[in-house]
Amino acid sequence: MPEPDLTPASTVEVLSAPTPESQFTTAKASRKSLLLTGIPMLVIGLGLIGFGLSTGLLVTLVKVLLMVVGVFLAIAGLGRTAEGIRGRKVDVVFGLGATWLVLLLAAAALAPWLPLGNHNDSAAGLSAPIFASPSLGSEYPLGTNNYGLDLLARAVYGARTSLTVSLFAILIGMTIGGLVGMVAGFFGKATDRVIGIFANALLAVPPLVLLIALGTVLDPNMRNLSIALSLLTIPSMIRVARANTITFAQREFVLAARSMGATRWRLLSKELLPNVLLPVLSMGVVMVSMLIVAEASLSYLGLGIQAPEPTWGNMIAEGESGVMEEHPFIVIVPGLCLFLTVFSFNLIGEKVQKRWDPRSAKL
């Protein structure tokens, strides 16, 4: 008859538990495996992107499909490679989005000093080739339009216009909407009801209808566009500022300041404003992408900045009348810039909102 095992359970658990040396070996093997699969995926993805951009042997649709597959492979390979190097997961998509925005903002700010081609002088473009195909080694790496204007230069200056209009619009919206919302939340009663009716009235008007109406009345310049687009942000900013003001007005530090005789101005400026500002800023980052799309829509409809001054919207409009079928890069270049910028702002806005607005983190 076999003897019973009298080894304590705790001893068995200790003996079966992985040792630090085995854990280190397993982690090292896992990181090596990630590198062995990630680096080839990254190289293949970059190779497909480069081949799609440089080859003239394939039709445009096949080249675009190759580049899309290459982008996905490159992102997946970069993520695995970064995880293998750092030993933990890395949010590669967020990093790429942030990098894109940094490069775009830098290029837009430094556009007058960059060695870019002709972006708006149609007369000077008469000597340049029209509809030149994109080629990395040529004078026009992203091609030219029907006036011989450089699409790379137009994309950069279009970013300058779109970002300037959108950022000024969001600043106006945050300033006016934030202050009005704080007043509504702090004073309440009749003040709150009147401001609430104003905000709901703005929300009741379809945004595109409002923008078209303003675009037909105002001159299409950057100042008027910023004012018109800010009307889309004010109602949301009022609601965010009002809700946070009501929440923080019941906190102990505000009640203590009120009991010590603090004036309403001091309560609003010193106690409430610093706490309401962060949620309003997080909402502003989220809404920048919406304003960029709205500005592009107005320019596409001919109600925004007028050609030959470039914006992404009127650059996309250049692909009308059958041009896109023969020269799709006319639309792909500004469309891709618009997509990447909006996508990146949405990613960063989501992260910022989770960090700065506690209510959104609970959703």
Side-chain angles (χ1 to χ4, degrees), residues 181-188 245-246 249 254 258 263-264 267-268 272:
M182 287 182 62
V183 169
F186 184 78
F187 290 98
T245 300
I246 293 174
V254 177
R258 191 192 299 270
T263 62
R264 291 176 176 178
L267 290 175
L268 283 169
L272 293 174

Side-chain angles (χ1 to χ4, degrees), residues 8-320:
S10 60
T11 305
V12 175
E13 293 177 0
V14 171
L15 293 175
S16 60
T19 62
E21 291 79 5
S22 63
Q23 289 180 338
F24 176 76
T25 304
T26 304
K28 187 175 180 181
S30 176
R31 293 172 65 176
K32 184 177 180 180
S33 174
L34 288 170
L35 289 173
L36 289 176
T37 56
I39 292 176
M41 289 174 65
L42 177 60
V43 172
I44 293 173
L46 293 176
L48 289 176
I49 296 172
F51 180 74
L53 289 173
S54 60
T55 185
L57 303 176
L58 302 174
V59 296
T60 302
L61 180 60
V62 176
K63 292 196 289 185
V64 171
L65 290 176
L66 275 178
M67 288 189 288
V68 170
V69 173
V71 168
F72 279 105
L73 277 176
I75 291 175
L78 183 60
R80 296 177 73 87
T81 303
E83 184 178 351
I85 294 174
R86 300 191 63 181
R88 60 181 182 179
K89 285 190 175 296
V90 178
D91 194 345
V92 174
V93 178
F94 175 79
L96 291 175
T99 303
W100 166 260
L101 288 183
V102 169
L103 293 176
L104 186 70
L105 289 169
L110 301 175
W113 299 279
L114 293 177
L116 298 172
N118 179 19
H119 71 281
N120 64 350
D121 191 348
S122 302
L126 293 176
S127 59
I130 62 172
F131 294 126
S133 298
S135 178
L136 295 179
S138 70
E139 184 181 354
Y140 309 103
L142 296 183
T144 60
N145 67 358
N146 55 328
Y147 294 105
L149 302 178
D150 185 13
L151 287 182
L152 174 60
R154 288 178 64 77
V156 172
Y157 277 92
R160 186 183 178 91
T161 301
S162 296
L163 292 174
T164 301
V165 169
S166 301
L167 292 177
F168 271 110
I170 203 67
L171 285 176
I172 296 171
M174 286 193 302
T175 303
I176 297 177
L179 293 177
V180 172
M182 287 182 62
V183 169
F186 184 78
F187 290 98
K189 299 181 181 179
T191 304
D192 190 16
R193 286 195 295 271
V194 171
I195 293 174
I197 292 172
F198 168 73
N200 290 330
L202 282 179
L203 289 172
V205 182
L208 187 58
V209 173
L210 177 62
L211 290 176
I212 290 175
L214 292 173
T216 56
V217 174
L218 301 175
D219 291 331
N221 54 51
M222 295 177 65
R223 182 194 62 189
N224 291 339
L225 277 179
S226 299
I227 295 173
L229 291 175
S230 67
L231 295 179
L232 300 182
T233 68
I234 288 176
S236 299
M237 294 300 174
I238 289 176
R239 290 188 167 192
V240 171
R242 174 186 176 275
N244 283 277
T245 300
I246 293 174
T247 300
F248 285 108
Q250 306 303 320
R251 296 286 181 88
E252 292 80 2
F253 62 91
V254 177
L255 296 177
R258 191 192 299 270
S259 64
M260 294 174 64
T263 62
R264 291 176 176 178
W265 168 252
R266 178 175 177 80
L267 290 175
L268 283 169
S269 61
K270 300 295 183 180
E271 307 297 339
L272 293 174
L273 179 59
N275 294 285
V276 175
L277 184 60
L278 290 181
V280 170
L281 283 174
S282 67
M283 188 67 179
V285 176
V286 172
M287 297 191 73
V288 168
S289 59
M290 180 196 74
L291 296 181
I292 292 174
V293 174
E295 186 277 330
S297 301
L298 283 178
S299 298
Y300 178 82
L301 295 172
L303 300 175
I305 303 299
Q306 302 297 306
E309 288 299 325
T311 70
W312 290 335
N314 62 29
M315 288 176 67
I316 294 174
E318 292 174 357
E320 293 180 340

